Amino acid sequence: MVSKIFQKFILVFLLSTFVISCNKATEEEIAVPKAKPKLVEFGFNMNDFNMVNDTIKSGDTFGSLLEKQNLNGREVYDIVDKVKDTFDVRSIRKGKPYTILRSKDRTNKIQVFIYQPDKLNFYIVDFRDSIIAHKKTKPLTFKTRTIAGALNGSLSETLQNLEVDPALAPRIAKIYAWSIDFFKLKKGDKFALKFTERYINDTIYDGVDSLKAAFFEYKGKKVYAFPFAPDANTKKEQYFDEEGKTLKNFFLKAPLKFVNITSRYTKNRFHPVQKIWKAHNGTDYAAPIGTPIMTTATGVVEQAGYTTGNGNFVKVKHDKTYSTQYLHMSKILVRRGQRVTQGQIIGKVGSTGLATGPHVCYRFWRNGVQVDALRLKLPTSTPMDSRYRKKYMEYMNPLKIELDSVSEASIK
């Protein structure tokens, strides 16, 4: 009796073991290996190809790169001819990246050639069905940031410390060229900025796209800047302050982007070259040789030439009232009678004439009399048309509130 019970137990045990092992085998048999995740670049799944990434080396040509892919000279010539309307193969440059996609079979035949002239654009030469070229642009996304801070060093250095592209600094200086002398900003002066940044493929940083709003503390007052296009037809933006007044004045504050005043307008100064006391009827701005000199207002070149005292100089007549003159240039870039626009480069800083070092002496005339430009209340540009003011204020107010609140929260 006991032996029969034991035999039944053994039989049940063996059957259950067999079922479990069958189930395991079944599970193993139906398990499907996971597919590789797609690696999509330039519109291609890179897992479908043997991929080569490299950069153009000295001596490389489109033809030599293709010949390394077992294409002969005649084939290369035909390919170049077929793609020339889209892709000028002579434009490839040393150091630029390229990608070659080849088939995964034993022929390892070239399928696609991709060349990137810059971070944003790329050319595709597709060899698969018929040879065809495309020029494409990577998708751009824009992200907005609002930051606030206090100056600690130059504006470029301060922005870099806040992880902002320092290339934004000269753009800001240009916007504020009529209202702020950035050399007079002090350590601790507050500012706030709202701006958009570009990203390629949503991940690769591509710099600042546009400035949406800003303020800088200057001489104890906040100077705001908001871009606005009064004319809906042209959509040309200008920068205005919180009261709707344009930041762009009739005259720039200085003929150089960044200025270092070494000598001011005075009726009695000891001349460093002539060694005598005499009037200095201008303002000296020191800068390295070759620094661009800008005309401070639109006008017509009245004089351009050389004298012993002035060296190379340019004089611009702006209207019936005002004229300006720029002395000691190393190079003159305009001619007499030429019309120039505000901010246009008219020459380069030098030390020609009676000068001890490289600088530009900036002289200013009002009604034919030389005056001190730094003390003169200069005319502004035409104010915003009253019919646009309501729309502007509605647009500007939320931006101003945001700048102020971020500044208060960030700077204690």
Side-chain angles (χ1 to χ4, degrees):
M1 184 71 179
V2 173
S3 62
K4 285 183 179 181
I5 293 172
F6 180 74
Q7 287 175 355
K8 286 182 180 180
F9 173 77
I10 294 296
L11 181 62
V12 169
F13 174 77
L14 290 174
L15 286 171
S16 62
T17 303
F18 175 76
V19 169
I20 291 170
S21 64
C22 285
N23 286 342
K24 283 185 178 179
T26 303
E27 287 174 3
E28 290 173 0
E29 287 171 6
I30 64 173
V32 178
K34 291 182 179 179
K36 284 185 179 180
K38 279 189 174 183
L39 175 61
V40 178
E41 290 184 35
F42 309 107
F44 298 95
N45 182 2
M46 295 302 174
N47 293 327
D48 294 340
F49 303 93
N50 288 326
M51 179 173 57
V52 176
N53 284 318
D54 208 339
T55 56
I56 303 295
K57 306 293 191 302
S58 180
D60 280 347
T61 65
F62 180 69
S64 67
L65 294 174
L66 293 190
E67 286 172 358
K68 292 176 183 178
Q69 304 302 315
N70 298 321
L71 294 172
N72 61 45
R74 182 64 195 178
E75 289 173 314
V76 171
Y77 177 85
D78 290 340
I79 291 165
V80 170
D81 188 59
K82 287 179 180 178
V83 305
K84 64 183 180 183
D85 291 338
T86 303
F87 177 36
D88 182 357
V89 301
R90 297 170 300 180
S91 66
I92 66 172
R93 294 289 180 266
K94 178 183 174 182
K96 298 297 183 181
Y98 70 89
T99 301
I100 292 176
L101 304 180
R102 301 186 294 203
S103 63
K104 277 194 164 181
D105 58 24
R106 62 182 183 179
T107 65
N108 205 24
K109 186 177 179 181
I110 185 170
Q111 305 291 295
V112 179
F113 176 87
I114 303 161
Y115 173 69
Q116 301 176 70
D118 53 55
K119 290 191 294 184
L120 187 59
N121 300 291
F122 60 96
Y123 291 93
I124 294 174
V125 180
D126 196 329
F127 300 86
R128 289 174 297 179
D129 296 326
S130 59
I131 296 167
I132 189 169
H134 308 278
K135 182 181 179 182
K136 296 196 173 184
T137 301
K138 296 176 185 178
L140 274 177
T141 53
F142 298 89
K143 301 177 183 180
T144 301
R145 290 174 63 190
T146 304
I147 64 165
L151 282 176
N152 184 16
S154 70
L155 178 56
S156 295
E157 291 169 333
T158 304
L159 291 176
Q160 197 162 19
N161 291 336
L162 291 170
E163 298 183 348
V164 179
D165 185 355
L168 179 59
R171 293 172 62 179
I172 291 172
K174 186 176 180 181
I175 290 166
Y176 281 104
W178 298 269
S179 48
I180 292 179
D181 180 349
F182 276 82
F183 274 90
K184 292 183 179 178
L185 290 176
K186 304 185 298 295
K187 182 178 179 180
D189 281 346
K190 298 176 184 178
F191 67 90
L193 306 170
K194 184 182 179 71
F195 53 93
T196 57
E197 296 174 301
R198 296 184 303 273
Y199 287 83
I200 300 171
N201 286 337
D202 206 36
T203 55
I204 303 170
Y205 181 73
D206 192 44
V208 174
D209 181 70
S210 59
L211 183 68
K212 299 296 185 185
F215 81 70
F216 279 85
E217 277 188 350
Y218 183 60
K219 296 182 178 180
K221 180 185 176 184
K222 287 182 179 179
V223 183
Y224 290 89
F226 304 97
F228 184 67
D231 189 339
N233 294 322
T234 63
K235 296 183 179 178
K236 185 177 180 181
E237 288 186 338
Q238 300 176 50
Y239 282 85
F240 299 87
D241 67 12
E242 77 279 17
E243 296 177 356
K245 296 177 182 177
T246 179
L247 292 187
K248 186 173 183 179
N249 293 335
F250 187 81
F251 284 94
L252 295 174
K253 291 188 76 66
L256 305 178
K257 283 189 176 180
F258 293 97
V259 296
N260 181 18
I261 297 175
T262 54
S263 183
R264 293 175 178 270
Y265 180 98
T266 177
K267 291 298 183 182
N268 196 23
R269 181 191 74 154
F270 187 73
H271 196 284
V273 177
Q274 295 176 312
K275 306 299 182 183
I276 60 173
W277 290 91
K278 60 185 294 188
H280 183 242
N281 294 322
T283 305
D284 288 348
Y285 296 96
I289 289 178
T291 301
I293 299 171
M294 304 177 292
T295 178
T296 54
T298 297
V300 176
V301 177
E302 191 174 31
Q303 293 177 308
Y306 179 90
T307 65
T308 303
N310 295 341
N312 294 320
F313 75 97
V314 171
K315 187 174 183 181
V316 180
K317 186 173 180 62
H318 304 292
D319 58 15
K320 293 180 180 179
T321 305
Y322 299 103
S323 297
T324 56
Q325 190 178 27
Y326 313 80
L327 312 182
H328 311 303
M329 295 178 169
S330 60
K331 190 174 184 180
I332 296 172
L333 299 177
V334 291
R335 65 185 184 279
R336 185 177 178 181
Q338 180 179 340
R339 182 167 180 79
V340 292
T341 57
Q342 186 182 63
Q344 182 175 335
I345 307 303
I346 58 173
K348 300 291 183 71
V349 168
S351 55
T352 57
L354 295 179
T356 56
H359 73 285
V360 56
C361 178
Y362 176 56
R363 295 185 175 180
F364 202 100
W365 277 262
R366 182 177 63 180
N367 296 321
V369 178
Q370 289 193 57
V371 294
D372 185 355
L374 297 180
R375 294 182 179 275
L376 195 64
K377 188 171 182 180
L378 298 171
T380 60
S381 297
T382 307
M384 181 187 294
D385 193 310
S386 59
R387 57 184 165 159
Y388 302 122
R389 183 174 172 79
K390 181 181 178 183
K391 181 181 177 183
Y392 171 75
M393 299 304 285
E394 290 173 351
Y395 153 79
M396 179 277 300
N397 275 322
L399 293 172
K400 181 178 180 297
I401 291 169
E402 183 179 359
L403 290 180
D404 291 339
S405 61
V406 170
S407 177
E408 289 170 7
S410 302
I411 308 169
K412 302 296 185 183

